[in-house]
Amino acid sequence: MRDLGAGFRYLLQGQRWMARNSRQYGFGLLPGLITLVLYAAALVGLAVWGDDLVTWSTPFADGWSGPWRGLFRGFLTAVLFALGLLLAVLTFTAVTLLIGQPFYENLSEKVDRDASPDGTAPESDLPLWRELWVSARDSLRILVRAGLWGVLLFALGFLPFVGQTVVPVVGFFVTGFFLTEELTAVALQRRGVHLRERLALLRSRKPLVWGFGTPLGLAFLVPLVAVFLMPGAVAGATLMARGLMGEETAGDGDGDGGGDGDRGAVTLPPPPPGSPAPGR
């Protein structure tokens, strides 16, 4: 429970940091707005032409008589749209971070400097094009994992009772984990922590990850909320990354330059035995 609460406090601290550094906020909205427009266009296209796509892909049903052909294809069209919507929720963060990589990298560095006792931030040794390539490659790997989970959970959703009760809850926790991975990747990648190490680190602190990512995933279900919360989510994930790496934090990073003592700082519970040690 302490880890769950700590994760949620990181989420709140990130939003508070963003509110107190409003000059950064406007630019942070642009990547989310661009992604929202792209996803909305894709979902509208799926709604308009989804029936044609299903008809084209099921020629074996052309000879079916009665209402069965229409019912079958209508069901597949609904399934196709629901799957597209689920994948949109799972992948929105990854695509937004990829589009806004330069801004979010800069934002994460500012949060690091604000939270660091000496006002410094870890810097990547890679050129920008290399950072973009690594980010795109890792995002693709995460999207594949998230897509597989999405297909599995969608299929399990047809199970009686379990599909309507247990599966949605599991789906929110899975979404929360992948959201947190993508958001903390901005700060952890800058520290030289590779994808496999990031996943191992986050898996060792699942309650902390769920406390941060699951409420955020629920909020992202509300139209436009993801766009407005994304900059603060990156800020909160940077603060979480500092805690996961065992770095000293001067405060909660909610000032406008410089720390403010230990007021409001999140103290992480000790990691469970056998978890990966923080470090490069």
Side-chain angles (χ1 to χ4, degrees):
M1 291 299 294
R2 283 187 64 194
D3 261 352
L4 283 171
F8 186 65
R9 287 197 298 275
Y10 277 126
L11 180 61
L12 295 181
Q13 286 179 3
Q15 300 302 325
R16 187 162 63 244
W17 189 95
M18 206 69 246
R20 297 191 180 188
N21 294 266
S22 56
R23 286 175 297 179
Q24 310 293 325
Y25 189 66
F27 292 104
L29 295 179
L30 292 178
L33 288 171
I34 293 172
T35 307
L36 180 66
V37 170
L38 293 175
Y39 273 48
L43 289 174
V44 168
L46 194 60
V48 173
W49 292 293
D51 184 62
D52 294 336
L53 179 61
V54 169
T55 300
W56 171 81
S57 61
T58 56
F60 57 86
D62 289 342
W64 291 10
S65 60
W68 299 114
R69 179 178 60 191
L71 290 174
F72 174 71
R73 285 176 170 168
F75 172 74
L76 289 183
T77 301
V79 167
L80 180 64
F81 184 81
L83 183 59
L85 186 61
L86 176 62
L87 290 177
V89 173
L90 288 172
T91 62
F92 183 88
T93 301
V95 175
T96 302
L97 289 174
L98 186 60
I99 293 175
Q101 173 72 16
F103 168 82
Y104 291 132
E105 186 71 28
N106 181 264
L107 170 62
S108 179
E109 287 188 21
K110 289 181 182 298
V111 175
D112 261 326
R113 292 193 184 95
D114 209 25
S116 175
D118 58 4
T120 61
E123 296 182 2
S124 174
D125 297 329
L126 300 176
L128 178 60
W129 71 267
R130 179 66 177 174
E131 287 185 4
L132 292 173
W133 163 250
V134 172
S135 178
R137 182 195 62 193
D138 289 351
S139 294
L140 180 59
R141 292 174 177 174
I142 291 299
L143 290 180
V144 171
R145 286 179 168 89
L148 292 175
W149 269 102
V151 172
L152 175 62
L153 292 173
F154 186 81
L156 293 176
F158 291 99
L159 295 176
F161 183 71
V162 175
Q164 293 75 50
T165 54
V166 177
V167 172
V169 175
V170 173
F172 284 124
F173 281 102
V174 170
T175 300
F177 181 89
F178 284 118
L179 278 175
T180 306
E181 196 288 325
E182 287 290 341
L183 290 165
T184 54
V186 177
L188 292 177
Q189 181 179 311
R190 188 156 34 85
R191 288 164 166 81
V193 183
H194 301 296
L195 176 60
R196 185 172 299 179
E197 297 167 333
R198 293 201 304 266
L199 290 173
L201 183 61
L202 295 177
R203 285 170 184 153
S204 71
R205 309 302 297 273
K206 285 180 182 177
L208 178 73
V209 171
W210 290 334
F212 182 91
T214 303
L216 188 63
L218 288 169
F220 277 13
L221 293 177
V222 181
L224 295 179
V225 166
V227 175
F228 293 104
L229 293 185
M230 183 64 74
V234 173
T238 301
L239 295 172
M240 178 187 286
R242 295 184 61 85
L244 288 170
M245 298 297 290
E247 297 173 2
E248 183 181 357
T249 299
D252 63 357
D254 61 358
D256 193 2
D260 56 356
D262 291 332
R263 178 177 59 83
V266 174
T267 302
L268 288 181
S275 61
R280 293 180 66 90

